[in-house]
Amino acid sequence: MVTEEVVVRLDGIRKEYGETAALDGVSLEIRAGEAVAVMGPSGCGKSTLLSMIAGLDRPTAGTVLVAGRELGGLSEKELALHRRQKIGMIFQFFNLIDDLSALDNVALSAQLTGTPARQARRRALELLDELGIAARRNAYPAVLSGGERQRVAVARALMNRPALLLADEPTGALDSRAGEQVMDLLLDLNQIGQTLLLVTHDERLAQRCASRLVTMGDGRVSGEQKLERVP
Ligand code: ADP
Ligand code: MG
């Protein structure tokens, strides 16, 4: 059954930055179709956890399995390709490229995996349309609202049909209305099967979007609970 498939398995992850242990023995499993929210105080290791899963950085100890690949066994080049093909990421401050239009920001992530430009632009436009911002396709990030920027970022993250969508405080820089729209978008995506790992400070976002809550403290998982989604 598709829903039994393991998308992420972290085993005994430790990550040291100099003297600091940002992660101190984290094990976590995420199955296809789940929406997992991670909460915990600032500095407890949430973003470090996402960077381990995305393969943006490597753990000091422990193993990371994502979408069927053990990341420790991949070269830097293989890791980058795996990330582009299997993982979509959205961030608090959008991380769009300022001198590319909305459409080109989205299309670029498919071009980086070798999709021809025309085909990439066609899919980018479809996604912008699905996310309700096709009319803004030629606009540059500077003239987009925060909510529009985040929707462009979501479109970009979805371009390569990722096995896993990672979101690090995706509503953290948005006003409450734009935040709710992004929240609804993430919920819709999960309901059509997108596996989601979401870091947030926003209890409401977690309650609304996530099927499971993982609580962290001091580089460790301190609790886990199933959530009944609150509409
Ligand atoms: P959170 O996302 O929960 O706020 P982080 O994962 O960003 O926490 O950080 C966890 C700890 O690791 C913090 O003490 C932070 O200062 C440290 N840290 C994170 N990234 C780095 C880095 N690149 N270099 C040095 N220390 C880092
Ligand atoms: Mg963080």
Side-chain angles (χ1 to χ4, degrees):
M1 212 169 93
V2 174
T3 51
E4 292 300 307
E5 186 191 329
V6 171
V7 178
V8 176
R9 181 176 288 136
L10 301 179
D11 204 7
I13 298 298
R14 184 174 173 82
K15 178 63 180 176
E16 296 167 4
Y17 291 111
E19 303 277 279
T20 317
L23 296 174
D24 181 19
V26 172
S27 298
L28 180 69
E29 202 171 278
I30 300 173
R31 291 171 178 274
E34 277 198 290
V36 176
V38 177
M39 298 190 76
S42 186
C44 75
K46 304 180 298 296
S47 295
T48 304
L49 181 75
L50 293 192
S51 76
M52 298 293 108
I53 294 171
L56 288 167
D57 202 351
R58 295 180 189 268
T60 310
T63 57
V64 184
L65 183 100
V66 178
R69 305 294 294 273
E70 178 92 61
L71 302 192
L74 303 182
S75 68
E76 292 305 314
K77 207 172 155 185
E78 289 168 332
L79 197 57
L81 187 63
H82 181 264
R83 179 170 59 245
R84 285 178 187 148
Q85 290 176 334
K86 300 294 181 186
I87 291 178
M89 293 191 77
I90 57 177
F91 305 91
Q92 180 171 6
F93 296 107
F94 327 117
N95 294 16
L96 298 175
I97 298 173
D98 288 337
D99 52 10
L100 291 181
S101 68
L103 184 72
D104 287 338
N105 261 284
V106 178
L108 181 64
S109 59
Q111 288 173 254
L112 290 173
T113 60
T115 307
R118 266 186 66 145
Q119 200 178 320
R121 290 170 67 90
R122 194 177 331 125
R123 169 145 175 84
L125 187 55
E126 271 170 26
L127 275 168
L128 290 176
D129 193 32
E130 280 169 30
L131 301 187
I133 39 168
R136 304 295 267 147
R137 63 184 174 277
N138 294 321
Y140 287 79
V143 301
L144 298 174
S145 70
E148 288 172 335
R149 285 183 215 186
Q150 197 61 299
R151 280 187 282 162
V152 171
V154 172
R156 175 182 59 184
L158 295 175
M159 265 304 269
N160 297 323
R161 298 183 173 84
L164 177 67
L165 181 60
L166 300 176
D168 197 349
E169 312 270 7
T171 63
L174 302 178
D175 62 41
S176 61
R177 195 179 135 69
E180 289 214 355
Q181 287 177 349
V182 168
M183 226 187 265
D184 286 344
L185 184 56
L186 295 176
L187 180 58
D188 287 349
L189 288 169
N190 179 246
Q191 284 177 335
I192 58 171
Q194 177 67 58
T195 309
L196 184 64
L197 178 58
L198 168 76
V199 167
T200 183
H201 275 117
D202 183 344
E203 184 105 23
R204 249 169 44 83
L205 177 62
Q207 295 284 351
R208 186 137 147 204
C209 295
S211 52
R212 183 152 61 99
L213 174 65
V214 171
T215 314
M216 285 182 68
D218 268 344
R220 293 166 168 271
V221 172
S222 56
E224 267 195 68
Q225 67 183 101
K226 277 214 161 282
L227 294 179
E228 297 298 331
R229 285 192 174 114
V230 181

